[in-house]
Amino acid sequence: MLAKFINQSHPGTNVTTIALYDYIASMKPLWQQVESFREAIRPIMKSAGDGVHLICFSQGGLICRGVLATLPTHNVHSLIFLSSPIAGQYGDSNYLKYFFPKFLKSRLYYFCYTTHGQKISICNYWNDPHQRERYLKSSNYLAPLNGEIEHANLTAWRDSFLRIETLVLIGGPDDGVITPWESSIFGFYDSNETVVEMEKQDWYLRDAFGLKTLNSKGAVVKCVVPGVHHTSWHSNLTVYQNCIDKWLT
């Protein structure tokens, strides 16, 4: 549906939908998925002399963050995160209960923050606000991307992120899956499970991965839409018209 919307409003635009790691395969570790998506995206970028736009839905937003971090010569103009848990996930959902039927959210860290747990995608961005020390010690994906821990690639990844011309963050309070839903606009819980907005997050204030710099240039756009469930974002014409269309030129 999203490709159809784009073709209708931007006829002649080359639209590629990448089918990788669907269904149960989406549970594979995110760095493994990033490697495959990067190799699929690289030739598309190479053939697009004027650059590309990336629309990344749900877990795909986290994959896109990894892809761009490790593609230092990317030519992405608009990076559009469509209801993606880009600041992490901490909440029960039907998806979580399907994959981890025996765990409550408050105890999932026992599994996620282990070597075996980090081999499952959901655990790569499981961000338990009550287990901060364990998260920082164990997270091999989200914490490094956020610059929450020091690592050798920090500067290179930040430089790559800053190549983006526009960052569009789309989400809403009725999503029903992303928890807190504000994670889709870079907000997240503190230790009291009170949502702290993007501009007050520690990694933002330190400009750890370049988000503050982008925002200071007016390059970060938030589009909050109520009444949209998680599985409907990419087929909702109103969302497309109000939050996506204008950034595809």
Side-chain angles (χ1 to χ4, degrees):
M1 287 299 295
L2 194 51
K4 179 182 176 182
F5 295 156
I6 296 169
N7 285 321
Q8 288 175 343
S9 61
H10 300 275
T13 296
N14 185 12
V15 182
T16 305
T17 304
I18 299 174
L20 288 171
Y21 294 98
D22 293 328
Y23 305 105
I24 193 68
S26 69
M27 297 295 286
K28 294 288 186 180
L30 288 185
W31 282 122
Q32 178 181 326
Q33 296 191 49
V34 163
E35 187 173 335
S36 298
F37 273 95
R38 185 176 61 236
E39 294 315 303
I41 291 171
R42 195 195 301 269
I44 299 172
M45 289 182 173
K46 192 173 182 179
S47 65
D50 294 332
V52 302
H53 303 305
L54 276 184
I55 303 175
C56 314
F57 171 61
S58 194
Q59 184 174 275
L62 290 152
I63 293 170
C64 284
R65 288 191 66 186
V67 167
L68 294 194
T70 54
L71 265 181
T73 58
H74 74 77
N75 56 355
V76 173
H77 289 204
S78 294
L79 175 61
I80 301 171
F81 290 142
L82 185 58
S83 189
S84 175
I86 43 179
Q89 172 79 4
Y90 182 69
D92 295 317
S93 69
N94 289 336
Y95 296 96
L96 188 65
K97 291 172 183 174
Y98 176 80
F99 291 113
F100 301 106
K102 296 181 180 180
F103 282 95
L104 298 172
K105 72 173 185 179
S106 61
R107 299 180 66 82
L108 190 57
Y109 76 89
Y110 280 114
F111 174 72
C112 276
Y113 297 158
T114 66
T115 302
H116 290 296
Q118 288 296 301
K119 294 178 181 178
I120 294 180
S121 61
I122 291 175
C123 291
N124 290 154
Y125 53 95
W126 187 252
N127 191 354
D128 190 327
H130 308 291
Q131 303 294 332
R132 186 77 184 151
E133 188 175 333
R134 293 184 192 226
Y135 162 76
L136 292 175
K137 183 179 180 180
S138 302
S139 174
N140 66 15
Y141 193 82
L142 184 62
L145 280 177
N146 281 348
E148 294 175 285
I149 56 176
E150 291 291 330
H151 58 91
N153 296 314
L154 192 58
T155 300
W157 289 3
R158 186 180 185 277
D159 290 345
S160 187
F161 185 79
L162 287 171
R163 290 175 65 89
I164 301 161
E165 293 187 7
T166 305
L167 176 64
V168 183
L169 312 175
I170 305 169
D174 302 304
D175 179 88
V177 173
I178 307 302
T179 311
W181 73 264
E182 290 92 345
S183 179
S184 59
I185 53 173
F186 273 121
F188 206 74
Y189 292 134
D190 63 14
S191 59
N192 296 315
E193 294 191 35
T194 300
V195 174
V196 177
E197 64 183 0
M198 175 185 84
E199 292 82 356
K200 294 180 180 178
Q201 293 287 339
D202 176 69
W203 37 256
Y204 178 89
L205 294 170
R206 292 187 293 106
D207 206 17
F209 62 93
L211 185 58
K212 185 177 181 181
T213 296
L214 271 188
N215 200 28
S216 69
K217 296 191 296 185
V220 179
V221 179
K222 297 179 185 178
C223 192
V224 176
V225 185
V228 182
H229 186 265
H230 189 67
T231 55
S232 300
W233 288 100
H234 47 76
S235 58
N236 188 301
L237 181 59
T238 301
V239 170
Y240 174 74
Q241 291 174 333
N242 294 341
C243 302
I244 300 175
D245 184 36
K246 70 181 78 173
W247 307 111
L248 301 182
T249 56

